[in-house]
Amino acid sequence: MSRYRVAPRLLAVLLALALSFGIVPLTARAASSAEIQKEIDALEEKNKAIQKELNAIQSQYDANFSDMESIVAQKAAIDQEMTLLNSKIDTTNEQISAYSQLIADTQEELDQAKETLREISEAHRLRVRAMEEEGTVSYWDVIFKANSFTDLLDRINMVEEINESDRRRIEQMRIASDVVNAAQLNLNTEKSALEETRSQLALDEEALAQKRTESDEVLHELEKKQEEYQILLAESEVLQEELMQEIAAKEKDLKEAKYDEYLAKLALQGTNPPSNAQWQTPVSGYTLTSPFGMRTHPVLGIQRMHNGIDMAAAQGTPIYATRAGKVTTASYQAGGAGNYVSINHLDGFASIYMHMTHYVVSAGQTVNKGQLIGYVGSTGLSTGPHLHFGISYAGTYVNPLAYIY
């Protein structure tokens, strides 16, 4: 690399520009482990709240289910009671039918007894009237035609016996009629009592039917609530599952953040953090003219940290992205980097390419490993064509030679 002296006044201006426009590696800021831990804590608190809500819903679900079981048992009891009641109603109807038949039978007997009584009474009346009207026999005939006192007594006894016989028959028929009449009255009383019982049973059946309808309505409402609780439980479980997945992802981020912070600490301590990626040398046919570390600046002539390596190459030599990533800066810095490009590799590492003749990428562009990004030049604070190539981790420059060969 060629060298030449710079006038003191110009040197002072360049030094001031270098100090005021120092290039800082640009990387996408990732959340720190402390920030991620706070997010995890917040998510776990949210998970506790969801679990509390889940427990409350589960308790309501269980209580509602218990109510449903009670209503179902109540309905079963009502159904059993209605079955017994229907059996009673059927039995009562059968009894009423039987009593109706008995009443009909006794009515027939009563009618027959009354008819017999009427016939006997009528026959007795007709016989007495005939005897009196025809004059064949009369009470006085019986008395005055007697041949003797004994015959008189016999005749009187005969008439009395005939009358007594008729009276006994009439009395017996009256008693029989009264017995049948009393039986019929008793049967009617029993039938009325049964009909009252049937009416009461019908009222009881109606009341039970109303209770059953009310139980059905309550059970329907409880079933609707049960469905709502099931939906709430399912939704809460899905939400909790999503939350647990988010917590798991955050814990993974936390682990990675802690590892990144560990690597950043290594970088701050001057140790090159390991990289699992494959790095490509940005230029070919180069000569290493200045390594990474403290040195006397070739232009400023002062001791300062050299945050990269100088790779001398012919003017216009292609410069390639050493890894895939996103271009964060493609710009020009007078008195410093000149035309330069910085690339964020999205894993904590970033790379910077300075002193180009010009660059062929733009900020925000995604580039692939080995993609052309510019050409070797000597723009900015430079003494000849070369590429200043730097690698940083978490904002701290590390030795590029630990990654490229």
mmCIF file of all heavy atoms in Angstrom, residues 343-386:
data_model
loop_
_atom_site.group_PDB
_atom_site.id
_atom_site.type_symbol
_atom_site.label_atom_id
_atom_site.label_comp_id
_atom_site.label_asym_id
_atom_site.label_seq_id
_atom_site.Cartn_x
_atom_site.Cartn_y
_atom_site.Cartn_z
ATOM 1 N N ILE A 343 -23.693 -4.927 6.610
ATOM 2 C CA ILE A 343 -24.692 -5.985 6.448
ATOM 3 C C ILE A 343 -24.970 -6.626 7.814
ATOM 4 O O ILE A 343 -24.033 -7.017 8.519
ATOM 5 C CB ILE A 343 -24.209 -7.062 5.454
ATOM 6 C CG1 ILE A 343 -23.940 -6.444 4.081
ATOM 7 C CG2 ILE A 343 -25.251 -8.180 5.329
ATOM 8 C CD1 ILE A 343 -23.310 -7.422 3.094
ATOM 9 N N ASN A 344 -26.252 -6.734 8.147
ATOM 10 C CA ASN A 344 -26.660 -7.425 9.367
ATOM 11 C C ASN A 344 -26.964 -8.877 8.997
ATOM 12 O O ASN A 344 -27.825 -9.148 8.161
ATOM 13 C CB ASN A 344 -27.905 -6.758 9.965
ATOM 14 C CG ASN A 344 -28.351 -7.402 11.262
ATOM 15 O OD1 ASN A 344 -27.736 -8.349 11.739
ATOM 16 N ND2 ASN A 344 -29.418 -6.881 11.832
ATOM 17 N N HIS A 345 -26.258 -9.810 9.654
ATOM 18 C CA HIS A 345 -26.436 -11.229 9.324
ATOM 19 C C HIS A 345 -27.505 -11.898 10.189
ATOM 20 O O HIS A 345 -27.691 -13.123 10.118
ATOM 21 C CB HIS A 345 -25.098 -11.956 9.430
ATOM 22 C CG HIS A 345 -24.061 -11.386 8.517
ATOM 23 N ND1 HIS A 345 -24.187 -11.411 7.141
ATOM 24 C CD2 HIS A 345 -22.886 -10.733 8.784
ATOM 25 C CE1 HIS A 345 -23.130 -10.821 6.592
ATOM 26 N NE2 HIS A 345 -22.326 -10.391 7.571
ATOM 27 N N LEU A 346 -28.170 -11.102 10.993
ATOM 28 C CA LEU A 346 -29.381 -11.519 11.715
ATOM 29 C C LEU A 346 -29.139 -12.604 12.753
ATOM 30 O O LEU A 346 -30.078 -13.312 13.152
ATOM 31 C CB LEU A 346 -30.466 -11.986 10.726
ATOM 32 C CG LEU A 346 -30.802 -10.980 9.596
ATOM 33 C CD1 LEU A 346 -31.847 -11.567 8.660
ATOM 34 C CD2 LEU A 346 -31.268 -9.658 10.176
ATOM 35 N N ASP A 347 -27.899 -12.764 13.193
ATOM 36 C CA ASP A 347 -27.624 -13.696 14.290
ATOM 37 C C ASP A 347 -26.688 -13.058 15.312
ATOM 38 O O ASP A 347 -25.974 -13.751 16.029
ATOM 39 C CB ASP A 347 -27.006 -14.988 13.753
ATOM 40 C CG ASP A 347 -25.682 -14.757 13.044
ATOM 41 O OD1 ASP A 347 -25.320 -13.581 12.803
ATOM 42 O OD2 ASP A 347 -24.998 -15.752 12.717
ATOM 43 N N GLY A 348 -26.706 -11.719 15.346
ATOM 44 C CA GLY A 348 -25.818 -10.983 16.249
ATOM 45 C C GLY A 348 -24.568 -10.488 15.556
ATOM 46 O O GLY A 348 -23.916 -9.549 16.025
ATOM 47 N N PHE A 349 -24.248 -11.139 14.425
ATOM 48 C CA PHE A 349 -23.056 -10.736 13.681
ATOM 49 C C PHE A 349 -23.429 -9.725 12.606
ATOM 50 O O PHE A 349 -24.525 -9.767 12.026
ATOM 51 C CB PHE A 349 -22.391 -11.955 13.016
ATOM 52 C CG PHE A 349 -21.612 -12.809 13.971
ATOM 53 C CD1 PHE A 349 -22.192 -13.923 14.579
ATOM 54 C CD2 PHE A 349 -20.277 -12.499 14.265
ATOM 55 C CE1 PHE A 349 -21.472 -14.709 15.448
ATOM 56 C CE2 PHE A 349 -19.550 -13.302 15.142
ATOM 57 C CZ PHE A 349 -20.148 -14.404 15.739
ATOM 58 N N ALA A 350 -22.491 -8.826 12.337
ATOM 59 C CA ALA A 350 -22.615 -7.872 11.238
ATOM 60 C C ALA A 350 -21.240 -7.715 10.598
ATOM 61 O O ALA A 350 -20.204 -7.968 11.231
ATOM 62 C CB ALA A 350 -23.128 -6.529 11.738
ATOM 63 N N SER A 351 -21.247 -7.337 9.325
ATOM 64 C CA SER A 351 -19.958 -7.111 8.643
ATOM 65 C C SER A 351 -19.987 -5.740 7.980
ATOM 66 O O SER A 351 -21.057 -5.241 7.617
ATOM 67 C CB SER A 351 -19.694 -8.214 7.606
ATOM 68 O OG SER A 351 -20.766 -8.289 6.682
ATOM 69 N N ILE A 352 -18.775 -5.121 7.825
ATOM 70 C CA ILE A 352 -18.678 -3.780 7.240
ATOM 71 C C ILE A 352 -17.547 -3.763 6.220
ATOM 72 O O ILE A 352 -16.519 -4.425 6.400
ATOM 73 C CB ILE A 352 -18.471 -2.723 8.338
ATOM 74 C CG1 ILE A 352 -18.652 -1.320 7.775
ATOM 75 C CG2 ILE A 352 -17.128 -2.886 9.045
ATOM 76 C CD1 ILE A 352 -18.838 -0.264 8.835
ATOM 77 N N TYR A 353 -17.796 -3.048 5.109
ATOM 78 C CA TYR A 353 -16.864 -3.009 3.968
ATOM 79 C C TYR A 353 -16.641 -1.542 3.630
ATOM 80 O O TYR A 353 -17.589 -0.837 3.261
ATOM 81 C CB TYR A 353 -17.477 -3.759 2.780
ATOM 82 C CG TYR A 353 -18.049 -5.127 3.144
ATOM 83 C CD1 TYR A 353 -19.304 -5.231 3.756
ATOM 84 C CD2 TYR A 353 -17.350 -6.287 2.872
ATOM 85 C CE1 TYR A 353 -19.841 -6.461 4.086
ATOM 86 C CE2 TYR A 353 -17.887 -7.533 3.198
ATOM 87 C CZ TYR A 353 -19.134 -7.614 3.816
ATOM 88 O OH TYR A 353 -19.658 -8.833 4.151
ATOM 89 N N MET A 354 -15.376 -1.042 3.724
ATOM 90 C CA MET A 354 -15.102 0.391 3.564
ATOM 91 C C MET A 354 -14.178 0.670 2.369
ATOM 92 O O MET A 354 -13.506 -0.221 1.862
ATOM 93 C CB MET A 354 -14.445 0.944 4.835
ATOM 94 C CG MET A 354 -15.274 0.824 6.084
ATOM 95 S SD MET A 354 -14.390 1.560 7.500
ATOM 96 C CE MET A 354 -15.511 1.187 8.824
ATOM 97 N N HIS A 355 -14.170 1.960 2.014
ATOM 98 C CA HIS A 355 -13.252 2.537 1.008
ATOM 99 C C HIS A 355 -13.527 2.042 -0.405
ATOM 100 O O HIS A 355 -12.614 1.996 -1.248
ATOM 101 C CB HIS A 355 -11.782 2.262 1.381
ATOM 102 C CG HIS A 355 -11.441 2.648 2.797
ATOM 103 N ND1 HIS A 355 -11.631 3.917 3.279
ATOM 104 C CD2 HIS A 355 -10.915 1.913 3.819
ATOM 105 C CE1 HIS A 355 -11.247 3.966 4.551
ATOM 106 N NE2 HIS A 355 -10.817 2.737 4.911
ATOM 107 N N MET A 356 -14.780 1.657 -0.719
ATOM 108 C CA MET A 356 -15.107 1.180 -2.064
ATOM 109 C C MET A 356 -15.038 2.323 -3.078
ATOM 110 O O MET A 356 -15.242 3.495 -2.737
ATOM 111 C CB MET A 356 -16.542 0.607 -2.070
ATOM 112 C CG MET A 356 -16.778 -0.599 -1.188
ATOM 113 S SD MET A 356 -18.534 -1.074 -1.298
ATOM 114 C CE MET A 356 -18.557 -2.527 -0.285
ATOM 115 N N THR A 357 -14.790 1.930 -4.346
ATOM 116 C CA THR A 357 -14.943 2.935 -5.414
ATOM 117 C C THR A 357 -16.422 3.313 -5.487
ATOM 118 O O THR A 357 -16.783 4.484 -5.571
ATOM 119 C CB THR A 357 -14.491 2.381 -6.776
ATOM 120 O OG1 THR A 357 -15.258 1.210 -7.077
ATOM 121 C CG2 THR A 357 -13.017 2.037 -6.766
ATOM 122 N N HIS A 358 -17.255 2.287 -5.428
ATOM 123 C CA HIS A 358 -18.705 2.484 -5.356
ATOM 124 C C HIS A 358 -19.343 1.156 -4.939
ATOM 125 O O HIS A 358 -18.714 0.094 -4.985
ATOM 126 C CB HIS A 358 -19.276 2.958 -6.704
ATOM 127 C CG HIS A 358 -19.099 2.003 -7.831
ATOM 128 N ND1 HIS A 358 -17.874 1.794 -8.467
ATOM 129 C CD2 HIS A 358 -19.992 1.177 -8.451
ATOM 130 C CE1 HIS A 358 -18.011 0.908 -9.429
ATOM 131 N NE2 HIS A 358 -19.295 0.502 -9.434
ATOM 132 N N TYR A 359 -20.581 1.228 -4.494
ATOM 133 C CA TYR A 359 -21.309 0.020 -4.065
ATOM 134 C C TYR A 359 -22.465 -0.207 -5.037
ATOM 135 O O TYR A 359 -22.911 0.716 -5.724
ATOM 136 C CB TYR A 359 -21.810 0.147 -2.620
ATOM 137 C CG TYR A 359 -22.413 1.479 -2.293
ATOM 138 C CD1 TYR A 359 -23.722 1.806 -2.669
ATOM 139 C CD2 TYR A 359 -21.670 2.448 -1.599
ATOM 140 C CE1 TYR A 359 -24.253 3.037 -2.363
ATOM 141 C CE2 TYR A 359 -22.206 3.670 -1.288
ATOM 142 C CZ TYR A 359 -23.508 3.966 -1.666
ATOM 143 O OH TYR A 359 -24.037 5.198 -1.380
ATOM 144 N N VAL A 360 -22.940 -1.463 -5.086
ATOM 145 C CA VAL A 360 -24.003 -1.809 -6.039
ATOM 146 C C VAL A 360 -25.248 -2.364 -5.317
ATOM 147 O O VAL A 360 -26.095 -3.017 -5.939
ATOM 148 C CB VAL A 360 -23.490 -2.829 -7.075
ATOM 149 C CG1 VAL A 360 -22.423 -2.220 -7.949
ATOM 150 C CG2 VAL A 360 -22.986 -4.108 -6.385
ATOM 151 N N VAL A 361 -25.337 -2.128 -4.023
ATOM 152 C CA VAL A 361 -26.515 -2.541 -3.247
ATOM 153 C C VAL A 361 -27.084 -1.316 -2.551
ATOM 154 O O VAL A 361 -26.465 -0.240 -2.540
ATOM 155 C CB VAL A 361 -26.153 -3.634 -2.207
ATOM 156 C CG1 VAL A 361 -25.790 -4.933 -2.899
ATOM 157 C CG2 VAL A 361 -25.032 -3.165 -1.292
ATOM 158 N N SER A 362 -28.252 -1.465 -1.952
ATOM 159 C CA SER A 362 -28.886 -0.338 -1.251
ATOM 160 C C SER A 362 -29.398 -0.803 0.111
ATOM 161 O O SER A 362 -29.633 -1.997 0.353
ATOM 162 C CB SER A 362 -30.041 0.231 -2.082
ATOM 163 O OG SER A 362 -30.989 -0.781 -2.371
ATOM 164 N N ALA A 363 -29.576 0.176 0.998
ATOM 165 C CA ALA A 363 -30.049 -0.134 2.353
ATOM 166 C C ALA A 363 -31.425 -0.803 2.287
ATOM 167 O O ALA A 363 -32.289 -0.417 1.504
ATOM 168 C CB ALA A 363 -30.122 1.139 3.186
ATOM 169 N N GLY A 364 -31.586 -1.829 3.120
ATOM 170 C CA GLY A 364 -32.853 -2.562 3.146
ATOM 171 C C GLY A 364 -32.855 -3.761 2.234
ATOM 172 O O GLY A 364 -33.770 -4.597 2.315
ATOM 173 N N GLN A 365 -31.855 -3.860 1.363
ATOM 174 C CA GLN A 365 -31.816 -4.967 0.415
ATOM 175 C C GLN A 365 -31.296 -6.232 1.101
ATOM 176 O O GLN A 365 -30.403 -6.179 1.946
ATOM 177 C CB GLN A 365 -30.902 -4.592 -0.759
ATOM 178 C CG GLN A 365 -30.754 -5.673 -1.820
ATOM 179 C CD GLN A 365 -29.836 -5.226 -2.961
ATOM 180 O OE1 GLN A 365 -29.561 -4.024 -3.130
ATOM 181 N NE2 GLN A 365 -29.348 -6.180 -3.741
ATOM 182 N N THR A 366 -31.863 -7.368 0.721
ATOM 183 C CA THR A 366 -31.375 -8.655 1.225
ATOM 184 C C THR A 366 -30.364 -9.208 0.234
ATOM 185 O O THR A 366 -30.602 -9.204 -0.981
ATOM 186 C CB THR A 366 -32.539 -9.651 1.398
ATOM 187 O OG1 THR A 366 -33.469 -9.128 2.350
ATOM 188 C CG2 THR A 366 -32.035 -10.999 1.891
ATOM 189 N N VAL A 367 -29.229 -9.661 0.753
ATOM 190 C CA VAL A 367 -28.174 -10.178 -0.121
ATOM 191 C C VAL A 367 -27.840 -11.609 0.269
ATOM 192 O O VAL A 367 -28.074 -12.037 1.407
ATOM 193 C CB VAL A 367 -26.901 -9.305 -0.050
ATOM 194 C CG1 VAL A 367 -27.164 -7.919 -0.599
ATOM 195 C CG2 VAL A 367 -26.381 -9.223 1.387
ATOM 196 N N ASN A 368 -27.323 -12.333 -0.672
ATOM 197 C CA ASN A 368 -26.900 -13.717 -0.436
ATOM 198 C C ASN A 368 -25.400 -13.780 -0.212
ATOM 199 O O ASN A 368 -24.655 -12.854 -0.573
ATOM 200 C CB ASN A 368 -27.264 -14.589 -1.635
ATOM 201 C CG ASN A 368 -28.765 -14.655 -1.852
ATOM 202 O OD1 ASN A 368 -29.521 -14.761 -0.893
ATOM 203 N ND2 ASN A 368 -29.187 -14.592 -3.117
ATOM 204 N N LYS A 369 -24.967 -14.868 0.358
ATOM 205 C CA LYS A 369 -23.533 -15.077 0.536
ATOM 206 C C LYS A 369 -22.871 -15.135 -0.845
ATOM 207 O O LYS A 369 -23.356 -15.814 -1.749
ATOM 208 C CB LYS A 369 -23.312 -16.389 1.293
ATOM 209 C CG LYS A 369 -21.850 -16.779 1.461
ATOM 210 C CD LYS A 369 -21.768 -18.118 2.184
ATOM 211 C CE LYS A 369 -20.318 -18.583 2.316
ATOM 212 N NZ LYS A 369 -20.228 -19.904 2.990
ATOM 213 N N GLY A 370 -21.774 -14.362 -0.997
ATOM 214 C CA GLY A 370 -21.050 -14.345 -2.267
ATOM 215 C C GLY A 370 -21.623 -13.384 -3.292
ATOM 216 O O GLY A 370 -21.129 -13.320 -4.421
ATOM 217 N N GLN A 371 -22.669 -12.606 -2.908
ATOM 218 C CA GLN A 371 -23.259 -11.663 -3.861
ATOM 219 C C GLN A 371 -22.383 -10.415 -3.964
ATOM 220 O O GLN A 371 -21.875 -9.911 -2.966
ATOM 221 C CB GLN A 371 -24.677 -11.270 -3.403
ATOM 222 C CG GLN A 371 -25.384 -10.313 -4.353
ATOM 223 C CD GLN A 371 -26.835 -10.081 -3.946
ATOM 224 O OE1 GLN A 371 -27.454 -10.948 -3.330
ATOM 225 N NE2 GLN A 371 -27.355 -8.919 -4.299
ATOM 226 N N LEU A 372 -22.214 -9.895 -5.192
ATOM 227 C CA LEU A 372 -21.412 -8.682 -5.423
ATOM 228 C C LEU A 372 -22.080 -7.493 -4.735
ATOM 229 O O LEU A 372 -23.283 -7.256 -4.901
ATOM 230 C CB LEU A 372 -21.287 -8.422 -6.928
ATOM 231 C CG LEU A 372 -20.517 -7.167 -7.330
ATOM 232 C CD1 LEU A 372 -19.030 -7.307 -6.972
ATOM 233 C CD2 LEU A 372 -20.688 -6.878 -8.826
ATOM 234 N N ILE A 373 -21.265 -6.747 -3.943
ATOM 235 C CA ILE A 373 -21.833 -5.575 -3.268
ATOM 236 C C ILE A 373 -21.078 -4.281 -3.639
ATOM 237 O O ILE A 373 -21.566 -3.187 -3.397
ATOM 238 C CB ILE A 373 -21.824 -5.753 -1.731
ATOM 239 C CG1 ILE A 373 -20.385 -5.960 -1.224
ATOM 240 C CG2 ILE A 373 -22.732 -6.904 -1.316
ATOM 241 C CD1 ILE A 373 -20.295 -5.984 0.301
ATOM 242 N N GLY A 374 -19.866 -4.379 -4.215
ATOM 243 C CA GLY A 374 -19.102 -3.185 -4.594
ATOM 244 C C GLY A 374 -17.713 -3.552 -5.106
ATOM 245 O O GLY A 374 -17.431 -4.727 -5.354
ATOM 246 N N TYR A 375 -16.848 -2.512 -5.187
ATOM 247 C CA TYR A 375 -15.489 -2.698 -5.740
ATOM 248 C C TYR A 375 -14.460 -2.011 -4.871
ATOM 249 O O TYR A 375 -14.723 -0.961 -4.273
ATOM 250 C CB TYR A 375 -15.427 -2.163 -7.163
ATOM 251 C CG TYR A 375 -16.411 -2.858 -8.097
ATOM 252 C CD1 TYR A 375 -17.687 -2.349 -8.297
ATOM 253 C CD2 TYR A 375 -16.042 -4.023 -8.776
ATOM 254 C CE1 TYR A 375 -18.584 -2.977 -9.147
ATOM 255 C CE2 TYR A 375 -16.944 -4.656 -9.631
ATOM 256 C CZ TYR A 375 -18.207 -4.140 -9.810
ATOM 257 O OH TYR A 375 -19.094 -4.760 -10.642
ATOM 258 N N VAL A 376 -13.256 -2.631 -4.849
ATOM 259 C CA VAL A 376 -12.170 -2.080 -4.032
ATOM 260 C C VAL A 376 -11.788 -0.705 -4.567
ATOM 261 O O VAL A 376 -11.666 -0.489 -5.773
ATOM 262 C CB VAL A 376 -10.940 -3.015 -4.050
ATOM 263 C CG1 VAL A 376 -9.736 -2.343 -3.377
ATOM 264 C CG2 VAL A 376 -11.263 -4.349 -3.388
ATOM 265 N N GLY A 377 -11.587 0.243 -3.602
ATOM 266 C CA GLY A 377 -11.173 1.596 -3.971
ATOM 267 C C GLY A 377 -10.355 2.200 -2.861
ATOM 268 O O GLY A 377 -9.808 1.483 -2.001
ATOM 269 N N SER A 378 -10.306 3.541 -2.841
ATOM 270 C CA SER A 378 -9.500 4.241 -1.828
ATOM 271 C C SER A 378 -10.223 5.495 -1.388
ATOM 272 O O SER A 378 -9.588 6.531 -1.131
ATOM 273 C CB SER A 378 -8.108 4.557 -2.380
ATOM 274 O OG SER A 378 -7.270 5.087 -1.376
ATOM 275 N N THR A 379 -11.553 5.431 -1.308
ATOM 276 C CA THR A 379 -12.330 6.605 -0.902
ATOM 277 C C THR A 379 -12.244 6.773 0.603
ATOM 278 O O THR A 379 -11.961 5.844 1.348
ATOM 279 C CB THR A 379 -13.802 6.453 -1.322
ATOM 280 O OG1 THR A 379 -14.329 5.264 -0.749
ATOM 281 C CG2 THR A 379 -13.940 6.380 -2.834
ATOM 282 N N GLY A 380 -12.498 7.995 1.078
ATOM 283 C CA GLY A 380 -12.455 8.271 2.506
ATOM 284 C C GLY A 380 -11.027 8.447 2.974
ATOM 285 O O GLY A 380 -10.131 8.838 2.221
ATOM 286 N N LEU A 381 -10.799 8.144 4.251
ATOM 287 C CA LEU A 381 -9.478 8.304 4.863
ATOM 288 C C LEU A 381 -8.641 7.067 4.542
ATOM 289 O O LEU A 381 -8.605 6.100 5.290
ATOM 290 C CB LEU A 381 -9.632 8.493 6.374
ATOM 291 C CG LEU A 381 -8.379 8.928 7.145
ATOM 292 C CD1 LEU A 381 -7.847 10.253 6.616
ATOM 293 C CD2 LEU A 381 -8.704 9.045 8.630
ATOM 294 N N SER A 382 -7.967 7.103 3.363
ATOM 295 C CA SER A 382 -7.251 5.932 2.879
ATOM 296 C C SER A 382 -5.981 6.372 2.165
ATOM 297 O O SER A 382 -5.919 7.443 1.561
ATOM 298 C CB SER A 382 -8.135 5.152 1.892
ATOM 299 O OG SER A 382 -7.407 4.139 1.246
ATOM 300 N N THR A 383 -4.938 5.524 2.229
ATOM 301 C CA THR A 383 -3.668 5.843 1.578
ATOM 302 C C THR A 383 -3.467 5.075 0.286
ATOM 303 O O THR A 383 -2.440 5.201 -0.371
ATOM 304 C CB THR A 383 -2.500 5.515 2.520
ATOM 305 O OG1 THR A 383 -2.549 4.128 2.853
ATOM 306 C CG2 THR A 383 -2.568 6.350 3.773
ATOM 307 N N GLY A 384 -4.434 4.219 -0.099
ATOM 308 C CA GLY A 384 -4.313 3.471 -1.341
ATOM 309 C C GLY A 384 -5.444 2.454 -1.457
ATOM 310 O O GLY A 384 -6.215 2.242 -0.504
ATOM 311 N N PRO A 385 -5.604 1.833 -2.614
ATOM 312 C CA PRO A 385 -6.706 0.886 -2.815
ATOM 313 C C PRO A 385 -6.638 -0.284 -1.834
ATOM 314 O O PRO A 385 -5.619 -0.978 -1.778
ATOM 315 C CB PRO A 385 -6.509 0.401 -4.250
ATOM 316 C CG PRO A 385 -5.657 1.439 -4.901
ATOM 317 C CD PRO A 385 -4.750 1.972 -3.837
ATOM 318 N N HIS A 386 -7.641 -0.459 -1.088
ATOM 319 C CA HIS A 386 -7.738 -1.603 -0.174
ATOM 320 C C HIS A 386 -9.184 -1.704 0.354
ATOM 321 O O HIS A 386 -9.964 -0.759 0.249
ATOM 322 C CB HIS A 386 -6.753 -1.468 0.995
ATOM 323 C CG HIS A 386 -7.164 -0.456 2.011
ATOM 324 N ND1 HIS A 386 -7.088 0.907 1.778
ATOM 325 C CD2 HIS A 386 -7.667 -0.614 3.277
ATOM 326 C CE1 HIS A 386 -7.513 1.557 2.862
ATOM 327 N NE2 HIS A 386 -7.876 0.640 3.789
#
